[in-house]
Amino acid sequence: MRPAHSASLEFDYSTERRARVVERSVAVEEGEIDDARSGARVAREGRTVVVTVEAGDLVALRAGVNSWIRLVETAERVADAGATYSESA
């Protein structure tokens, strides 16, 4: 059955390396936080990370979108902290 609703979130980065770090960080959650009402896929196209969230209803879609935005934001903050640490070392 095809989900009734979907949203694609695109996150652009200055380098492919940065996009790869974020994509690999969040891709481990793919399939782990899915439930009966929603699911997501993570892909990278060059310097862009694409998260596609699919859901059977709008409430589940909103919850899924919010969760994935938070996951990407966390991956970005950790990557920033790692870059800052490696520059100061």
Side-chain angles (χ1 to χ4, degrees), residues 41-64:
R41 293 184 315 276
V42 178
R44 184 177 56 84
E45 299 168 0
R47 297 182 312 175
T48 303
V49 175
V50 180
V51 178
T52 304
V53 181
E54 297 178 331
D57 60 79
L58 291 174
V59 172
L61 181 66
R62 185 188 71 209

Side-chain angles (χ1 to χ4, degrees), residues 2-81:
R2 181 178 153 93
H5 306 282
S6 68
S8 289
L9 310 171
E10 294 187 5
F11 303 90
D12 297 317
Y13 298 96
S14 58
T15 66
E16 281 192 42
R17 181 181 186 280
R18 175 61 178 240
R20 187 172 44 253
V21 167
V22 172
E23 181 261 337
R24 288 180 178 174
S25 297
V26 298
V28 298
E29 299 297 335
E30 191 174 350
E32 294 297 316
I33 60 174
D34 293 354
D35 61 21
R37 296 171 55 203
S38 68
R41 293 184 315 276
V42 178
R44 184 177 56 84
E45 299 168 0
R47 297 182 312 175
T48 303
V49 175
V50 180
V51 178
T52 304
V53 181
E54 297 178 331
D57 60 79
L58 291 174
V59 172
L61 181 66
R62 185 188 71 209
V65 165
N66 288 339
S67 293
W68 282 96
I69 288 172
R70 282 192 305 275
L71 287 170
V72 170
E73 287 174 343
T74 300
E76 291 171 346
R77 284 195 303 270
V78 170
D80 286 343

